[in-house]
Amino acid sequence: IVVAGGLLAGCRHPVTAVTRNFRITDYTRFVDNNQGPGQVFMRYPLGRIGLWSTPEGEIADSITRGLRLYPTVDQVTGNAAADWRASVNASPSQTTITYGANSAARGSSVALTVTPDVSVYRYRFRNATSYAAVDLLIREVENSNVTWTDSRFDYVDSRTAEVTLSNGGSDKCYFYIKFSRPAARHGTFSSRGMAAGASSAAGDNMGGYLTFAPGRPVTVAVALSMTSMARAEQNFTGQFSSFDFARAVQNLKNAWNAKLGKIDVQRASTLTAREIYTGLYTLYANIVDVTDNGSG
């Protein structure tokens, strides 16, 4: 590759890489956001929240790695570590996952996207005869550097839940969780089993669930703050209160094209372009805005 020009602070002109002729109008289609065996990672450029899809499930916030969301059909269960995914279709702006027909999700699917501070899950349930559930499991996953021993799940109302991750000391983070439609029932679960109707739970390796009548999709917004639940709620209100999933996907795509377009590959092989833009994506996706971290 011959590189002309440079990407410097304040530079208005993008870098040009030269091998073979083609014109890129959408840089994101050259990004492979698979971040390792079976792992897809999404983040808004320089944003705060990250969203992993791994064999252990879909994880809200790549830093805390303590809150997982997943669907179940006609049952509620804690997903310890099983890979329920049957297929994954990923891009920087939207990831779509179909769960296995033999898993507790019974062939349901989820579409994922993110804003700077909100991760978004749009569930479409399959094969539900009694109810569909969205489960929120508080449990650390591999590479988590904090044990969240003193966390809480709180059911606030039929469309709202709050999760506070805490190690019992100074490390805390707050998730304000809003649902697109009211739940029919709710409860909590742990290794001891379900507690139907319970509105709160505390500790580690536990969580809560909301159930819905079959037949309609459910979108869940998980807003993050590292300083307070009130700030997390503000992030939801400012970034996803309309529950417009398509607009959030387009905003994310536009944001990534703006960042990736700082290098405009005008002539290259497809493989070279993919390597360049995947590298840029990985760089920006792993730079985190920490201004909301009270501990510094």
PDB file of all heavy atoms in Angstrom, residues 144-172:
ATOM      1  N   SER A 144     -13.905 -10.127  33.797  1.00  0.00           N
ATOM      2  CA  SER A 144     -14.374  -9.081  34.694  1.00  0.00           C
ATOM      3  C   SER A 144     -13.349  -8.907  35.803  1.00  0.00           C
ATOM      4  O   SER A 144     -12.902  -9.874  36.409  1.00  0.00           O
ATOM      5  CB  SER A 144     -15.724  -9.466  35.308  1.00  0.00           C
ATOM      6  OG  SER A 144     -16.126  -8.515  36.260  1.00  0.00           O
ATOM      7  N   ASN A 145     -12.962  -7.646  36.062  1.00  0.00           N
ATOM      8  CA  ASN A 145     -11.922  -7.414  37.069  1.00  0.00           C
ATOM      9  C   ASN A 145     -12.502  -6.989  38.411  1.00  0.00           C
ATOM     10  O   ASN A 145     -11.768  -6.591  39.305  1.00  0.00           O
ATOM     11  CB  ASN A 145     -10.911  -6.372  36.573  1.00  0.00           C
ATOM     12  CG  ASN A 145     -11.560  -5.033  36.252  1.00  0.00           C
ATOM     13  OD1 ASN A 145     -12.760  -4.871  36.443  1.00  0.00           O
ATOM     14  ND2 ASN A 145     -10.769  -4.104  35.767  1.00  0.00           N
ATOM     15  N   VAL A 146     -13.836  -7.054  38.550  1.00  0.00           N
ATOM     16  CA  VAL A 146     -14.494  -6.713  39.811  1.00  0.00           C
ATOM     17  C   VAL A 146     -15.516  -7.792  40.119  1.00  0.00           C
ATOM     18  O   VAL A 146     -16.194  -8.294  39.233  1.00  0.00           O
ATOM     19  CB  VAL A 146     -15.202  -5.347  39.733  1.00  0.00           C
ATOM     20  CG1 VAL A 146     -15.890  -5.022  41.058  1.00  0.00           C
ATOM     21  CG2 VAL A 146     -14.215  -4.243  39.377  1.00  0.00           C
ATOM     22  N   THR A 147     -15.618  -8.185  41.387  1.00  0.00           N
ATOM     23  CA  THR A 147     -16.668  -9.106  41.817  1.00  0.00           C
ATOM     24  C   THR A 147     -17.793  -8.291  42.427  1.00  0.00           C
ATOM     25  O   THR A 147     -17.608  -7.607  43.429  1.00  0.00           O
ATOM     26  CB  THR A 147     -16.124 -10.113  42.851  1.00  0.00           C
ATOM     27  OG1 THR A 147     -15.049 -10.851  42.258  1.00  0.00           O
ATOM     28  CG2 THR A 147     -17.216 -11.093  43.277  1.00  0.00           C
ATOM     29  N   TRP A 148     -18.968  -8.364  41.812  1.00  0.00           N
ATOM     30  CA  TRP A 148     -20.091  -7.519  42.210  1.00  0.00           C
ATOM     31  C   TRP A 148     -20.909  -8.228  43.296  1.00  0.00           C
ATOM     32  O   TRP A 148     -22.019  -8.704  43.053  1.00  0.00           O
ATOM     33  CB  TRP A 148     -20.943  -7.180  41.003  1.00  0.00           C
ATOM     34  CG  TRP A 148     -20.172  -6.539  39.887  1.00  0.00           C
ATOM     35  CD1 TRP A 148     -19.809  -7.096  38.704  1.00  0.00           C
ATOM     36  CD2 TRP A 148     -19.650  -5.212  39.875  1.00  0.00           C
ATOM     37  NE1 TRP A 148     -19.107  -6.200  37.944  1.00  0.00           N
ATOM     38  CE2 TRP A 148     -18.994  -5.036  38.638  1.00  0.00           C
ATOM     39  CE3 TRP A 148     -19.678  -4.145  40.785  1.00  0.00           C
ATOM     40  CZ2 TRP A 148     -18.365  -3.837  38.295  1.00  0.00           C
ATOM     41  CZ3 TRP A 148     -19.045  -2.965  40.439  1.00  0.00           C
ATOM     42  CH2 TRP A 148     -18.402  -2.806  39.212  1.00  0.00           C
ATOM     43  N   THR A 149     -20.356  -8.299  44.493  1.00  0.00           N
ATOM     44  CA  THR A 149     -20.941  -9.112  45.562  1.00  0.00           C
ATOM     45  C   THR A 149     -22.155  -8.476  46.219  1.00  0.00           C
ATOM     46  O   THR A 149     -22.935  -9.157  46.889  1.00  0.00           O
ATOM     47  CB  THR A 149     -19.892  -9.359  46.653  1.00  0.00           C
ATOM     48  OG1 THR A 149     -19.373  -8.084  47.086  1.00  0.00           O
ATOM     49  CG2 THR A 149     -18.753 -10.209  46.132  1.00  0.00           C
ATOM     50  N   ASP A 150     -22.343  -7.163  46.063  1.00  0.00           N
ATOM     51  CA  ASP A 150     -23.387  -6.447  46.798  1.00  0.00           C
ATOM     52  C   ASP A 150     -24.300  -5.700  45.835  1.00  0.00           C
ATOM     53  O   ASP A 150     -24.699  -4.565  46.086  1.00  0.00           O
ATOM     54  CB  ASP A 150     -22.736  -5.470  47.780  1.00  0.00           C
ATOM     55  CG  ASP A 150     -23.713  -4.964  48.818  1.00  0.00           C
ATOM     56  OD1 ASP A 150     -24.649  -5.705  49.169  1.00  0.00           O
ATOM     57  OD2 ASP A 150     -23.569  -3.815  49.271  1.00  0.00           O
ATOM     58  N   SER A 151     -24.653  -6.340  44.732  1.00  0.00           N
ATOM     59  CA  SER A 151     -25.462  -5.701  43.700  1.00  0.00           C
ATOM     60  C   SER A 151     -26.941  -5.804  44.031  1.00  0.00           C
ATOM     61  O   SER A 151     -27.356  -6.564  44.908  1.00  0.00           O
ATOM     62  CB  SER A 151     -25.167  -6.345  42.349  1.00  0.00           C
ATOM     63  OG  SER A 151     -23.810  -6.186  42.002  1.00  0.00           O
ATOM     64  N   ARG A 152     -27.754  -5.039  43.265  1.00  0.00           N
ATOM     65  CA  ARG A 152     -29.200  -5.042  43.497  1.00  0.00           C
ATOM     66  C   ARG A 152     -29.951  -5.042  42.173  1.00  0.00           C
ATOM     67  O   ARG A 152     -29.545  -4.387  41.203  1.00  0.00           O
ATOM     68  CB  ARG A 152     -29.641  -3.807  44.297  1.00  0.00           C
ATOM     69  CG  ARG A 152     -29.322  -3.847  45.766  1.00  0.00           C
ATOM     70  CD  ARG A 152     -30.032  -2.686  46.469  1.00  0.00           C
ATOM     71  NE  ARG A 152     -31.493  -2.754  46.307  1.00  0.00           N
ATOM     72  CZ  ARG A 152     -32.288  -3.440  47.111  1.00  0.00           C
ATOM     73  NH1 ARG A 152     -31.774  -4.131  48.126  1.00  0.00           N
ATOM     74  NH2 ARG A 152     -33.594  -3.442  46.913  1.00  0.00           N
ATOM     75  N   PHE A 153     -31.072  -5.744  42.171  1.00  0.00           N
ATOM     76  CA  PHE A 153     -32.090  -5.620  41.139  1.00  0.00           C
ATOM     77  C   PHE A 153     -33.345  -5.054  41.793  1.00  0.00           C
ATOM     78  O   PHE A 153     -33.775  -5.547  42.841  1.00  0.00           O
ATOM     79  CB  PHE A 153     -32.425  -6.972  40.507  1.00  0.00           C
ATOM     80  CG  PHE A 153     -33.713  -6.953  39.715  1.00  0.00           C
ATOM     81  CD1 PHE A 153     -33.720  -6.545  38.400  1.00  0.00           C
ATOM     82  CD2 PHE A 153     -34.922  -7.334  40.302  1.00  0.00           C
ATOM     83  CE1 PHE A 153     -34.911  -6.508  37.673  1.00  0.00           C
ATOM     84  CE2 PHE A 153     -36.111  -7.300  39.590  1.00  0.00           C
ATOM     85  CZ  PHE A 153     -36.104  -6.890  38.259  1.00  0.00           C
ATOM     86  N   ASP A 154     -33.940  -4.031  41.189  1.00  0.00           N
ATOM     87  CA  ASP A 154     -35.179  -3.441  41.707  1.00  0.00           C
ATOM     88  C   ASP A 154     -36.173  -3.262  40.577  1.00  0.00           C
ATOM     89  O   ASP A 154     -35.881  -2.599  39.564  1.00  0.00           O
ATOM     90  CB  ASP A 154     -34.899  -2.086  42.372  1.00  0.00           C
ATOM     91  CG  ASP A 154     -34.132  -2.224  43.674  1.00  0.00           C
ATOM     92  OD1 ASP A 154     -34.707  -2.757  44.627  1.00  0.00           O
ATOM     93  OD2 ASP A 154     -32.955  -1.808  43.696  1.00  0.00           O
ATOM     94  N   TYR A 155     -37.353  -3.837  40.748  1.00  0.00           N
ATOM     95  CA  TYR A 155     -38.468  -3.632  39.836  1.00  0.00           C
ATOM     96  C   TYR A 155     -39.180  -2.355  40.281  1.00  0.00           C
ATOM     97  O   TYR A 155     -39.679  -2.267  41.399  1.00  0.00           O
ATOM     98  CB  TYR A 155     -39.400  -4.835  39.910  1.00  0.00           C
ATOM     99  CG  TYR A 155     -40.685  -4.702  39.129  1.00  0.00           C
ATOM    100  CD1 TYR A 155     -40.731  -5.006  37.769  1.00  0.00           C
ATOM    101  CD2 TYR A 155     -41.856  -4.300  39.765  1.00  0.00           C
ATOM    102  CE1 TYR A 155     -41.918  -4.899  37.061  1.00  0.00           C
ATOM    103  CE2 TYR A 155     -43.047  -4.192  39.064  1.00  0.00           C
ATOM    104  CZ  TYR A 155     -43.078  -4.490  37.711  1.00  0.00           C
ATOM    105  OH  TYR A 155     -44.253  -4.384  37.021  1.00  0.00           O
ATOM    106  N   VAL A 156     -39.231  -1.348  39.401  1.00  0.00           N
ATOM    107  CA  VAL A 156     -39.795  -0.044  39.753  1.00  0.00           C
ATOM    108  C   VAL A 156     -41.260   0.032  39.370  1.00  0.00           C
ATOM    109  O   VAL A 156     -42.109   0.428  40.171  1.00  0.00           O
ATOM    110  CB  VAL A 156     -38.994   1.082  39.084  1.00  0.00           C
ATOM    111  CG1 VAL A 156     -39.602   2.446  39.405  1.00  0.00           C
ATOM    112  CG2 VAL A 156     -37.535   1.038  39.527  1.00  0.00           C
ATOM    113  N   ASP A 157     -41.581  -0.333  38.136  1.00  0.00           N
ATOM    114  CA  ASP A 157     -42.968  -0.385  37.678  1.00  0.00           C
ATOM    115  C   ASP A 157     -43.019  -1.302  36.461  1.00  0.00           C
ATOM    116  O   ASP A 157     -42.006  -1.920  36.105  1.00  0.00           O
ATOM    117  CB  ASP A 157     -43.521   1.015  37.372  1.00  0.00           C
ATOM    118  CG  ASP A 157     -42.727   1.768  36.319  1.00  0.00           C
ATOM    119  OD1 ASP A 157     -42.339   1.148  35.301  1.00  0.00           O
ATOM    120  OD2 ASP A 157     -42.490   2.975  36.495  1.00  0.00           O
ATOM    121  N   SER A 158     -44.171  -1.392  35.792  1.00  0.00           N
ATOM    122  CA  SER A 158     -44.356  -2.389  34.732  1.00  0.00           C
ATOM    123  C   SER A 158     -43.485  -2.157  33.505  1.00  0.00           C
ATOM    124  O   SER A 158     -43.394  -3.025  32.638  1.00  0.00           O
ATOM    125  CB  SER A 158     -45.827  -2.429  34.305  1.00  0.00           C
ATOM    126  OG  SER A 158     -46.217  -1.185  33.751  1.00  0.00           O
ATOM    127  N   ARG A 159     -42.829  -0.996  33.445  1.00  0.00           N
ATOM    128  CA  ARG A 159     -41.938  -0.732  32.307  1.00  0.00           C
ATOM    129  C   ARG A 159     -40.516  -0.393  32.734  1.00  0.00           C
ATOM    130  O   ARG A 159     -39.681  -0.071  31.859  1.00  0.00           O
ATOM    131  CB  ARG A 159     -42.483   0.440  31.471  1.00  0.00           C
ATOM    132  CG  ARG A 159     -43.742   0.116  30.678  1.00  0.00           C
ATOM    133  CD  ARG A 159     -44.072   1.250  29.730  1.00  0.00           C
ATOM    134  NE  ARG A 159     -42.960   1.557  28.830  1.00  0.00           N
ATOM    135  CZ  ARG A 159     -42.836   2.691  28.151  1.00  0.00           C
ATOM    136  NH1 ARG A 159     -43.753   3.642  28.274  1.00  0.00           N
ATOM    137  NH2 ARG A 159     -41.810   2.900  27.347  1.00  0.00           N
ATOM    138  N   THR A 160     -40.209  -0.484  34.016  1.00  0.00           N
ATOM    139  CA  THR A 160     -38.929   0.035  34.492  1.00  0.00           C
ATOM    140  C   THR A 160     -38.295  -0.889  35.526  1.00  0.00           C
ATOM    141  O   THR A 160     -38.971  -1.368  36.438  1.00  0.00           O
ATOM    142  CB  THR A 160     -39.103   1.421  35.131  1.00  0.00           C
ATOM    143  OG1 THR A 160     -39.905   2.249  34.289  1.00  0.00           O
ATOM    144  CG2 THR A 160     -37.762   2.083  35.361  1.00  0.00           C
ATOM    145  N   ALA A 161     -36.997  -1.096  35.378  1.00  0.00           N
ATOM    146  CA  ALA A 161     -36.208  -1.791  36.399  1.00  0.00           C
ATOM    147  C   ALA A 161     -34.896  -1.039  36.571  1.00  0.00           C
ATOM    148  O   ALA A 161     -34.466  -0.296  35.677  1.00  0.00           O
ATOM    149  CB  ALA A 161     -35.945  -3.241  36.007  1.00  0.00           C
ATOM    150  N   GLU A 162     -34.277  -1.225  37.728  1.00  0.00           N
ATOM    151  CA  GLU A 162     -32.983  -0.603  38.009  1.00  0.00           C
ATOM    152  C   GLU A 162     -32.029  -1.670  38.537  1.00  0.00           C
ATOM    153  O   GLU A 162     -32.411  -2.495  39.359  1.00  0.00           O
ATOM    154  CB  GLU A 162     -33.130   0.520  39.031  1.00  0.00           C
ATOM    155  CG  GLU A 162     -33.978   1.684  38.525  1.00  0.00           C
ATOM    156  CD  GLU A 162     -34.195   2.776  39.545  1.00  0.00           C
ATOM    157  OE1 GLU A 162     -33.894   2.537  40.748  1.00  0.00           O
ATOM    158  OE2 GLU A 162     -34.672   3.858  39.171  1.00  0.00           O
ATOM    159  N   VAL A 163     -30.802  -1.637  38.040  1.00  0.00           N
ATOM    160  CA  VAL A 163     -29.757  -2.550  38.511  1.00  0.00           C
ATOM    161  C   VAL A 163     -28.566  -1.724  38.955  1.00  0.00           C
ATOM    162  O   VAL A 163     -28.091  -0.853  38.214  1.00  0.00           O
ATOM    163  CB  VAL A 163     -29.329  -3.539  37.414  1.00  0.00           C
ATOM    164  CG1 VAL A 163     -28.079  -4.307  37.830  1.00  0.00           C
ATOM    165  CG2 VAL A 163     -30.468  -4.519  37.110  1.00  0.00           C
ATOM    166  N   THR A 164     -28.113  -1.958  40.164  1.00  0.00           N
ATOM    167  CA  THR A 164     -26.903  -1.319  40.683  1.00  0.00           C
ATOM    168  C   THR A 164     -25.865  -2.391  40.922  1.00  0.00           C
ATOM    169  O   THR A 164     -26.081  -3.309  41.717  1.00  0.00           O
ATOM    170  CB  THR A 164     -27.178  -0.575  41.999  1.00  0.00           C
ATOM    171  OG1 THR A 164     -28.203   0.400  41.790  1.00  0.00           O
ATOM    172  CG2 THR A 164     -25.917   0.120  42.492  1.00  0.00           C
ATOM    173  N   LEU A 165     -24.746  -2.301  40.227  1.00  0.00           N
ATOM    174  CA  LEU A 165     -23.633  -3.200  40.481  1.00  0.00           C
ATOM    175  C   LEU A 165     -22.743  -2.576  41.554  1.00  0.00           C
ATOM    176  O   LEU A 165     -22.416  -1.398  41.484  1.00  0.00           O
ATOM    177  CB  LEU A 165     -22.803  -3.432  39.214  1.00  0.00           C
ATOM    178  CG  LEU A 165     -23.509  -4.081  38.016  1.00  0.00           C
ATOM    179  CD1 LEU A 165     -22.496  -4.378  36.916  1.00  0.00           C
ATOM    180  CD2 LEU A 165     -24.247  -5.339  38.420  1.00  0.00           C
ATOM    181  N   SER A 166     -22.364  -3.373  42.543  1.00  0.00           N
ATOM    182  CA  SER A 166     -21.528  -2.865  43.632  1.00  0.00           C
ATOM    183  C   SER A 166     -20.648  -3.987  44.162  1.00  0.00           C
ATOM    184  O   SER A 166     -21.074  -5.145  44.242  1.00  0.00           O
ATOM    185  CB  SER A 166     -22.398  -2.319  44.772  1.00  0.00           C
ATOM    186  OG  SER A 166     -21.611  -1.972  45.888  1.00  0.00           O
ATOM    187  N   ASN A 167     -19.421  -3.633  44.500  1.00  0.00           N
ATOM    188  CA  ASN A 167     -18.525  -4.606  45.133  1.00  0.00           C
ATOM    189  C   ASN A 167     -18.567  -4.489  46.656  1.00  0.00           C
ATOM    190  O   ASN A 167     -17.738  -5.072  47.352  1.00  0.00           O
ATOM    191  CB  ASN A 167     -17.094  -4.426  44.633  1.00  0.00           C
ATOM    192  CG  ASN A 167     -16.466  -3.108  45.080  1.00  0.00           C
ATOM    193  OD1 ASN A 167     -17.172  -2.206  45.544  1.00  0.00           O
ATOM    194  ND2 ASN A 167     -15.152  -3.003  44.944  1.00  0.00           N
ATOM    195  N   GLY A 168     -19.532  -3.721  47.174  1.00  0.00           N
ATOM    196  CA  GLY A 168     -19.622  -3.497  48.611  1.00  0.00           C
ATOM    197  C   GLY A 168     -18.757  -2.362  49.079  1.00  0.00           C
ATOM    198  O   GLY A 168     -18.758  -2.024  50.261  1.00  0.00           O
ATOM    199  N   GLY A 169     -18.022  -1.750  48.164  1.00  0.00           N
ATOM    200  CA  GLY A 169     -17.139  -0.637  48.509  1.00  0.00           C
ATOM    201  C   GLY A 169     -17.384   0.534  47.585  1.00  0.00           C
ATOM    202  O   GLY A 169     -18.524   0.918  47.327  1.00  0.00           O
ATOM    203  N   SER A 170     -16.318   1.080  47.018  1.00  0.00           N
ATOM    204  CA  SER A 170     -16.428   2.301  46.227  1.00  0.00           C
ATOM    205  C   SER A 170     -16.807   2.044  44.773  1.00  0.00           C
ATOM    206  O   SER A 170     -17.225   2.969  44.068  1.00  0.00           O
ATOM    207  CB  SER A 170     -15.102   3.068  46.271  1.00  0.00           C
ATOM    208  OG  SER A 170     -14.047   2.262  45.749  1.00  0.00           O
ATOM    209  N   ASP A 171     -16.646   0.819  44.306  1.00  0.00           N
ATOM    210  CA  ASP A 171     -16.930   0.528  42.902  1.00  0.00           C
ATOM    211  C   ASP A 171     -18.420   0.290  42.707  1.00  0.00           C
ATOM    212  O   ASP A 171     -18.986  -0.680  43.234  1.00  0.00           O
ATOM    213  CB  ASP A 171     -16.146  -0.703  42.437  1.00  0.00           C
ATOM    214  CG  ASP A 171     -14.668  -0.418  42.308  1.00  0.00           C
ATOM    215  OD1 ASP A 171     -14.314   0.722  41.971  1.00  0.00           O
ATOM    216  OD2 ASP A 171     -13.866  -1.342  42.539  1.00  0.00           O
ATOM    217  N   LYS A 172     -19.058   1.166  41.942  1.00  0.00           N
ATOM    218  CA  LYS A 172     -20.478   1.033  41.648  1.00  0.00           C
ATOM    219  C   LYS A 172     -20.750   1.500  40.226  1.00  0.00           C
ATOM    220  O   LYS A 172     -20.047   2.352  39.689  1.00  0.00           O
ATOM    221  CB  LYS A 172     -21.329   1.875  42.618  1.00  0.00           C
ATOM    222  CG  LYS A 172     -21.366   1.362  44.046  1.00  0.00           C
ATOM    223  CD  LYS A 172     -22.336   2.176  44.888  1.00  0.00           C
ATOM    224  CE  LYS A 172     -22.406   1.637  46.314  1.00  0.00           C
ATOM    225  NZ  LYS A 172     -23.368   2.402  47.151  1.00  0.00           N
TER     226      LYS A 172
END
